[in-house]
Amino acid sequence: MTTAPLPSSHEVAAFWRDAGPSRWFAKDEAFDAEFKSRFESAHHAAASGMLDAWAKEADGALALLVLLDQFPRNAWRGSAHMFATDGKARAVARAAIAAGLDQQVESTLRPFFYLPFMHSESLADQERSVELNAALDANTQRFAVLHRDIVARFGRFPHRNPMLGRETTPEEQAFLDQGGFAG
């Protein structure tokens, strides 16, 4: 049995660029299936550290962040696996930002360096997200503040509770029933 070669960081970044804003956050089963079929092996390689060398340059760091933070959210919607590589994504993001790599990509892609903080249930990470996203467009900043405010209020994202086997408090349920953010 032969294994297909892993894509390069440039292939992952190009796929993400070509997908564009209209597909990045939409719930689209066809897009999710294509994304998963093309890059699942690269996601697992990134998760295991096999692609850590990509983090030395801007496009490589972007590709790692897409594979570690965005890919699981598309490939495994509604399951705990969506969050399995969040910690590694935050580590890659911290190092990339410290090296100034986020400033080396076009502004439309810069949020992907900051999303690992927005996806975190740590209030300190949420504050970092708000700080980083302040330099971007108003809509991105609005989402950063929304995420931060939810974590500040509940200490977590209530919509994740069923996926993570957590009890939902009455206050969280009221928030969700009133149309609270669902990710």
Side-chain angles (χ1 to χ4, degrees):
M1 177 169 112
T2 57
T3 305
L6 289 174
S8 70
S9 62
H10 298 292
E11 289 173 277
V12 175
F15 172 83
W16 202 245
R17 277 185 180 92
D18 292 346
S22 67
R23 299 185 87 188
W24 289 337
F25 303 110
K27 291 182 180 175
D28 177 336
E29 289 182 24
F31 177 71
D32 291 352
E34 178 186 4
F35 195 13
K36 187 174 182 180
S37 72
R38 289 184 63 180
F39 299 110
E40 185 172 13
S41 61
H43 162 76
H44 291 296
S48 70
M50 290 174 51
L51 305 179
D52 286 355
W54 287 8
K56 294 177 182 166
E57 54 98 16
D59 248 22
L62 172 65
L64 276 176
L65 291 166
V66 166
L67 290 173
L68 295 168
D69 187 68
Q70 290 305 125
F71 178 88
R73 284 164 168 78
N74 289 73
W76 297 291
R77 288 185 193 275
S79 78
H81 194 83
M82 288 174 57
F83 317 112
T85 52
D86 282 6
K88 185 162 180 64
R90 282 190 303 278
V92 170
R94 279 186 190 95
I97 293 164
L101 299 179
D102 58 319
Q103 300 301 310
Q104 296 177 30
V105 299
E106 51 270 44
S107 61
T108 56
L109 292 167
R110 203 164 294 145
F112 295 101
F113 285 79
Y114 310 152
L115 276 171
F117 304 107
M118 193 185 299
H119 290 150
S120 174
E121 290 186 323
S122 158
L123 187 55
D125 287 338
Q126 289 296 325
E127 295 293 352
R128 182 76 170 130
S129 168
V130 169
E131 175 189 326
L132 291 164
N133 284 293
L136 302 177
D137 64 276
N139 193 49
T140 302
Q141 177 66 354
R142 180 177 68 85
F143 277 103
V145 170
L146 174 66
H147 283 75
R148 189 259 334 263
D149 290 352
I150 293 168
V151 171
R153 180 175 173 186
F154 299 109
R156 61 190 185 176
F157 293 113
H159 69 276
R160 292 183 183 178
N161 291 347
M163 291 176 274
L164 297 174
R166 303 186 302 210
E167 288 290 323
T168 299
T169 68
E171 184 184 9
E172 289 173 332
Q173 191 60 57
F175 170 75
L176 294 170
D177 290 347
Q178 293 168 2
F181 184 73

